[in-house]
């Protein structure tokens, strides 16, 4: 518990986490505002309304990675290791703190975006109702944010450089996983099972939508996608823990 308290104090001792969390909320509400107002909100389907939350997830990963890399930059992690020699415990405390924050943010932002867009839409679609699998599409971001925090902490621990960690966390889901999908024959089969594509399946609709947005037949089910995403995070975190114990701080 003391390590969690220390990590909380260190995290919120600067302004950057507050700005990042504000950016996550702003990104979530921006798309909700857009789809809630355009054409009286007739196209405000849950997956579109919540698309800004996915962008917010990327911003949150940046915040989680910086929580590690800035400590390497300013040398505060060495002091922490002197006070708590068990490095894995320190990494665990930091990961748990950020995962809990991610889960809370992953609940607040999608609910705010959903109801904000619904309030703005004068002619909302029938799907913009919090029932059935829409519950999963909205609340599922809590799990994705939490798991993303684990991945971001692991990447930050492995690289220790802010620029490198942020670049990987932004380029991998936004570019690399998309490029893999265009590889002939193999790409479309592999892409749905890549980390962030699999995670996105957990908040994707399985029902047919007005524009035909359904999960790929080659891809995982929502539960399979979440389990795959968690699996990637656990493996990456375990590697980071081993590397952290074996190298100099």
């Amino acid at each position: 518990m003391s390590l969690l308290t220390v990590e909380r104090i260190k995290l919120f001792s600067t302004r950057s986490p507050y700005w990042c969390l504000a950016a996550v909320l702003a990104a979530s509400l921006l798309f909700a505002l857009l789809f809630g107002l355009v054409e009286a909100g007739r196209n405000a389907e849950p997956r579109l309304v919540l698309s800004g939350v996915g962008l917010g997830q990327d911003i949150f990963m940046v915040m989680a990675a910086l929580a590690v890399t800035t400590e390497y930059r300013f040398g505060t992690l060495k002091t922490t290791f002197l006070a708590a020699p068990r490095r894995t415990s320190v990494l665990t405390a930091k990961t748990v703190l950020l995962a809990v924050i991610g889960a809370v943010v992953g609940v607040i932002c999608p609910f705010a975006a959903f109801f904000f867009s619904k309030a703005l839409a004068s002619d909302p679609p029938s799907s913009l109702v919090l029932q059935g699998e829409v519950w999963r599409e909205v609340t599922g971001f809590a799990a994705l944010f939490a798991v993303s925090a684990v991945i971001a902490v692991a990447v930050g621990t492995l690289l220790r450089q802010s620029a490198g960690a942020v670049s990987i966390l932004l380029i991998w889901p936004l570019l690399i996983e998309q490029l893999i999908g265009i590889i002939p024959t193999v790409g479309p089969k592999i892409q749905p099972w890549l980390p962030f594509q699999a995670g996105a399946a957990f908040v994707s609709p399985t029902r047919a939508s007005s524009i035909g947005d359904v999960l790929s037949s080659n891809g995982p089910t929502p539960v399979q996608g979440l389990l795959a995403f968690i699996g990637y995070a656990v493996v990456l975190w375990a590697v980071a823990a081993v590397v952290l114990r074996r190298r100099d701080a």
Side-chain angles (χ1 to χ4, degrees), residues 68-88 90 156-161 240-249:
V68 180
T69 58
T70 52
E71 288 212 59
Y72 278 110
R73 177 183 177 187
F74 295 107
T76 57
L77 201 57
K78 292 183 179 180
T79 305
T80 303
F81 288 153
L82 288 175
R86 296 180 62 182
R87 296 184 178 186
T88 305
V90 176
T157 302
L158 289 170
L159 297 183
R160 299 197 290 187
Q161 296 290 332
V242 171
V243 171
L244 181 65
R245 292 179 60 184
R246 292 185 176 180
R247 74 183 175 191
D248 295 335

Side-chain angles (χ1 to χ4, degrees), residues 181-230:
I182 65 176
I183 299 176
T185 308
V186 179
K189 296 179 181 179
I190 297 176
Q191 186 187 38
W193 293 94
L194 296 175
F196 293 97
Q197 292 289 322
F202 187 59
V203 292
S204 297
T206 56
R207 65 188 182 282
S209 69
S210 59
I211 57 175
D213 181 55
V214 295
L215 292 177
S216 170
S217 58
N218 295 325
T221 65
V223 174
Q224 290 173 339
L226 178 62
L227 292 177
F229 194 39
I230 293 173

